[in-house]
Every structure is written in structure tokens, then in C-alpha cells.
Amino acid sequence: MKGQNTFAETSASPEQVLGIFRDWQRLELGRCMRERDLLSFTTTVSGWRASCDLQGWQELGVALNKYFGTTVSKDEWRATMKPEKKKYLRDVCALIATRAKLPTPGDQKVFGKPCKPASSFFALRSCLQLAGVDTAHLRPSTKLDSCLRLHTQDVIEAVTKLAPGKMPQMATKFNWRHRLSGWVCLGGLLTLVAGGILERPEWTVVGCLFLALGFIAVTVFSNLPPSEVRLEGLETFGDLSRMIANGERNL
């Protein structure tokens, strides 16, 4: 089963939009959130931006339009987000919900009976396929690791749209080359500082060289996929599909 026949696009609700924002918050902070720290409809736009380290309202509006496939105008975003300390996520979510559509798993049957996990799996596979991911060999038993490493953002977008507010905790281990580049940068910086304090010009030169080399390496190796990406408690696409189908909230 391929394409959009495995899911329907339905109008988003403000609650679903807030659920997606909460998913982004958890992914950004990389830890389980206490209920009182989670984004809510009464969170100000200023608090939202500070909590998730977001860009200014204009850049944020452009990014939201791209993610949700909406065409909200600059004036509408300004009216909804400014002044930031007096505008709330309730208004942002409501505005997006008037325009956005989200995928909803279809009603797939197994042995003649409706099966929610199967419906979620086929919908997830179709969303990934539409994003350009090769799903020819994707099965419920397929391990998540390889696809997560190579297509992290595509998987995140598919899950957050199919199951707003349910995104599990994600653990990422950077490629060893990327980590080594960071250590080279740190070593170069420490050598540079030490050279200045101890008045050792040769150390300063070496520190500058290592710092420059480290920055170049970070830039080059940052494009490599991470060495490991895991979703807490999930190992296969079948596990992920059941999580989407069960309606469990991972807050």
C-alpha cells in the first residue's frame, strides 16, 4: 500500500498543534518534562521562544508555514505574536488550526478485522515515502536505528504529525569524527589561552592552528549522520506503529 490511500488529511485542532509544539520542546531540551514546565495554551509567545530557543516572530512564522503547509500572512503572524509578552500560544495554535491539515491513519484490515497498529504502520510508511525516504524494504520488524540515523528529521516530522504530543524521548550519539572535531576545538582554545597567560607565543600559534582546524572539521563532519539514534523504549517500526496507535502520551 503506497501513497495517500493509507491516510487521510484532516483539519488540525489547536490541541494537536500544541501537542506538536510540546514534541519540539522535549526534543530541543532532550529530557522528560515536568507537567508545570510543558508548553500550554497560557504560555506567552515570549516564554515559548525562550523555552525552545526559537528565532524571532518573522522567521518563526516562515518556519511554521513551511512545516504545516500553511500560507499565513506576515500581518497575521504579527497580530498573533506581537507583543510577545501579551500574546499566548492559544492564539498561535488556533490560527494554525484554521489552515493546517494533518495525516490521520486509514482503516486498514488484517484478516478482515480493523487493525490500528497496521493502519499506523502503513500511514507512517507512506508519510516517509512522500518525504523521499526509500521504504521498499520497510517492514514492522525493521529496526528503527538505520532509518533514524539517515532520515532523522523525516521520521520526526512523520511521527509528530501522525501522533501529536506522543513523540518519545530521543537519544543521539554524534559521529565520532564530529566529537573528535569538538575536542580539537577545545584543545586549541585551551592552548591559545594558556599561551597568552604564560606568555608562550609558540603555544598561541599552535592553539590558533588547532582551533582553525577544529572549526573546519566540525563544519565538514557535521553533515555526517550520527553514529546512533534511539527512541526510548522502541526498537522496530512495529513498536513505533503501536505507540502511534495506542494513543499513549509520552509527556
Side-chain angles (χ1 to χ4, degrees):
M1 297 182 183
K2 299 179 180 180
Q4 292 189 357
N5 63 317
T6 59
F7 65 86
E9 290 192 332
T10 57
S11 296
S13 68
E15 290 75 17
Q16 287 177 314
V17 177
L18 178 64
I20 291 174
F21 289 166
R22 285 181 166 188
D23 286 336
W24 293 351
Q25 182 188 31
R26 287 193 299 274
L27 289 170
E28 174 68 26
L29 298 179
R31 64 175 185 272
C32 293
M33 305 289 295
R34 295 176 298 180
E35 184 67 29
R36 66 184 183 183
D37 296 328
L38 284 169
L39 296 172
S40 70
F41 285 137
T42 58
T43 303
T44 63
V45 171
S46 175
W48 175 38
R49 289 188 54 234
S51 173
C52 300
D53 193 25
L54 299 174
Q55 297 176 308
W57 70 269
Q58 295 186 58
E59 294 83 359
L60 182 54
V62 172
L64 290 172
N65 274 337
K66 181 178 180 181
Y67 181 86
F68 287 101
T70 54
T71 55
V72 179
S73 69
K74 182 178 178 180
D75 290 339
E76 289 175 298
W77 286 126
R78 181 189 294 111
T80 304
M81 296 193 196
K82 299 289 290 184
E84 294 183 356
K85 293 184 178 180
K86 295 183 178 180
K87 296 294 184 177
Y88 299 91
L89 274 187
R90 178 187 296 107
D91 304 311
V92 177
C93 294
L95 175 61
I96 294 172
T98 63
R99 315 285 176 84
K101 292 185 179 297
L102 295 175
T104 301
D107 187 16
Q108 305 298 331
K109 295 183 178 181
V110 176
F111 300 118
K113 296 182 179 181
C115 181
K116 288 186 177 180
S119 300
S120 297
F121 170 76
F122 287 122
L124 175 61
R125 190 173 68 175
S126 293
C127 288
L128 292 175
Q129 183 183 53
L130 292 172
V133 178
D134 182 6
T135 62
H137 301 290
L138 199 76
R139 302 289 184 271
S141 59
T142 302
K143 298 291 186 181
L144 286 167
D145 178 65
S146 179
C147 188
L148 275 173
R149 286 193 307 104
L150 299 177
H151 308 285
T152 306
Q153 293 304 315
D154 293 324
V155 174
I156 289 175
E157 182 168 342
V159 174
T160 54
K161 286 184 175 180
L162 280 167
K166 302 177 188 176
M167 189 71 196
Q169 289 294 118
M170 177 176 286
T172 302
K173 182 182 292 185
F174 288 109
N175 186 285
W176 69 268
R177 296 178 182 86
H178 190 266
R179 298 200 304 273
L180 180 60
S181 302
W183 284 110
V184 171
C185 283
L186 179 60
L189 180 61
L190 293 176
T191 304
L192 179 62
V193 172
I197 295 175
L198 301 176
E199 298 182 353
R200 300 291 296 271
E202 66 275 17
W203 287 21
T204 302
V205 173
V206 172
C208 288
L209 290 175
F210 271 85
L211 195 59
L213 178 63
F215 274 120
I216 293 173
V218 167
T219 302
V220 172
F221 295 136
S222 63
N223 294 321
L224 294 176
S227 60
E228 183 181 5
V229 181
R230 294 182 292 103
L231 292 179
E232 185 178 306
L234 306 176
E235 294 186 3
T236 67
F237 275 91
D239 295 334
L240 181 56
S241 300
R242 283 186 287 274
M243 185 278 296
I244 293 172
N246 288 340
E248 298 174 351
R249 298 183 66 83
N250 292 274
L251 300 181

